Amino acid sequence: MIGQELLQAGHYQASTQMLEAALKIGTCSLKLRGSVFSALSSGFWGLGNIDKAIIYMQKDLTVAKNLGTKDVLL
């Protein structure tokens, strides 16, 4: 949650570092993992790192498909 708060405040570098650290810690929740991927894609987009943003967007899409939540994409 701290990484997402940093993102909302426009602190892209700090947020991406925090969110990537959260991924390393891990979680059993696919929904939480998808949320982190989404935030990371936004953070890297804000930093102008489009390639990395797209990678995390694709991971978020994969999680959404695994959850069976097609509504997320609408």
Side-chain angles (χ1 to χ4, degrees):
M1 288 183 50
I2 295 170
Q4 291 174 335
E5 292 292 325
L6 287 167
L7 177 64
Q8 288 179 352
H11 301 290
Y12 302 119
Q13 185 66 40
S15 70
T16 56
Q17 289 174 345
M18 180 73 66
L19 291 163
E20 284 187 319
L23 283 179
K24 288 179 185 174
I25 293 170
T27 180
C28 293
S29 169
L30 272 180
K31 193 171 185 178
L32 178 59
R33 196 163 176 79
S35 177
V36 172
F37 288 149
S38 178
L40 277 165
S41 69
S42 296
F44 281 112
W45 188 272
L47 288 171
N49 190 337
I50 307 307
D51 291 335
K52 214 161 186 186
I54 290 171
I55 289 168
Y56 281 115
M57 286 178 198
Q58 290 171 332
K59 289 182 180 194
D60 185 26
L61 178 60
T62 299
V63 169
K65 286 179 180 178
N66 287 334
L67 288 171
T69 54
K70 295 179 180 133
D71 295 345
V72 173
L73 303 176
L74 299 177

